[in-house]
Amino acid sequence: MGFDMSKLASPFSGISGGNNIKKLLEEKQKERSKVYGFIGMDVYDLYKQGKAEFPELQVHFEKMQELEQEIAELEAEKQRWELQSRGASTCSCGQPLSVKERFCPNCGKPVDNGMITCVCGNQIKKELKFCPNCGKSVSGLLETGGQQPENAGMQARYKECICGAKVPEGQFMCMECGRKVED
């Protein structure tokens, strides 16, 4: 007389059908893969921090470092592509520039983004004829580089920021570089 296997309690006794067992098996295999991934990440982090050495894993660590470098380069290229597709540009130093940046965050070079600062402090496109804020002629601004001519007869008074931008009186911050402007 042999042992009757049907009398053993099965972890699947409440599950009916092969499809349910297959689904549960797939879920457990996915969960196991995640745990393997977490173990791998933790081991790699320990290796990078110099807290553990695993000579048998050195080949894998080197491959991981190569992949991280390639990923960083691709992310930088993706960022440059996204900025260029939105009308942004790249500085001569290679740094991607957003449309709103006035200076390169890498080398500090001024960015020509097609905008000019009016004497009223408003940022306007160079192709406009007049500033929509104060009505000043853009061609006059282009001739003076956005600076207020000495005898312009403008009623507003301006302070000059150390970046060269004109800041209307009463405004405490330069809208070009973000510096606080002292009275």
Side-chain angles (χ1 to χ4, degrees):
M1 181 166 170
F3 184 72
D4 186 5
M5 296 290 281
S6 64
K7 296 195 183 210
L8 284 177
S10 167
F12 306 109
S13 59
I15 300 175
S16 61
N19 286 337
N20 288 337
I21 293 172
K22 184 178 176 182
K23 183 177 177 182
L24 184 61
L25 178 62
E26 287 174 0
E27 288 174 7
K28 294 299 176 183
Q29 288 171 336
K30 285 180 185 178
E31 188 175 341
R32 181 181 63 183
S33 292
K34 282 183 183 180
V35 172
Y36 274 137
F38 290 130
I39 291 170
M41 287 188 294
D42 288 343
V43 168
Y44 184 60
D45 287 342
L46 289 171
Y47 168 78
K48 287 193 323 187
Q49 296 167 7
K51 294 181 179 178
E53 291 196 24
F54 304 95
E56 60 278 359
L57 299 177
Q58 188 63 35
V59 169
H60 301 294
F61 293 148
E62 290 170 0
K63 180 63 177 175
M64 183 63 83
Q65 289 171 338
E66 289 175 20
L67 287 170
E68 286 178 343
Q69 179 65 32
E70 291 172 7
I71 288 169
E73 290 169 1
L74 287 170
E75 285 174 341
E77 185 61 31
K78 177 185 171 206
Q79 182 183 18
R80 276 192 286 278
W81 181 85
E82 286 173 345
L83 289 171
Q84 287 174 347
S85 69
R86 289 183 292 191
S89 60
T90 303
C91 182
S92 58
C93 73
Q95 174 72 28
L97 302 169
S98 73
V99 178
K100 295 181 180 180
E101 287 178 313
R102 302 276 304 154
F103 300 94
C104 174
N106 185 46
C107 69
K109 182 179 175 183
V111 175
D112 182 10
N113 60 3
M115 303 288 277
I116 190 165
T117 304
C118 182
V119 293
C120 70
N122 192 34
Q123 281 277 319
I124 53 176
K125 293 180 181 178
K126 288 181 180 179
E127 60 264 11
L128 292 177
K129 294 185 186 242
F130 300 97
C131 172
N133 189 43
C134 70
K136 178 88 173 138
S137 165
V138 173
S139 61
L141 292 170
L142 290 172
E143 291 170 9
T144 62
Q147 303 297 317
Q148 181 179 3
E150 289 301 319
N151 297 325
M154 299 284 291
Q155 293 177 336
R157 298 198 178 262
Y158 298 89
K159 300 176 273 186
E160 186 169 333
C161 178
I162 61 173
C163 75
K166 299 290 183 185
V167 180
E169 271 187 357
Q171 186 172 316
F172 68 94
M173 183 177 131
C174 176
M175 299 309 283
E176 294 296 307
C177 69
R179 288 185 179 94
K180 182 177 179 183
V181 179
E182 303 294 328
D183 288 326

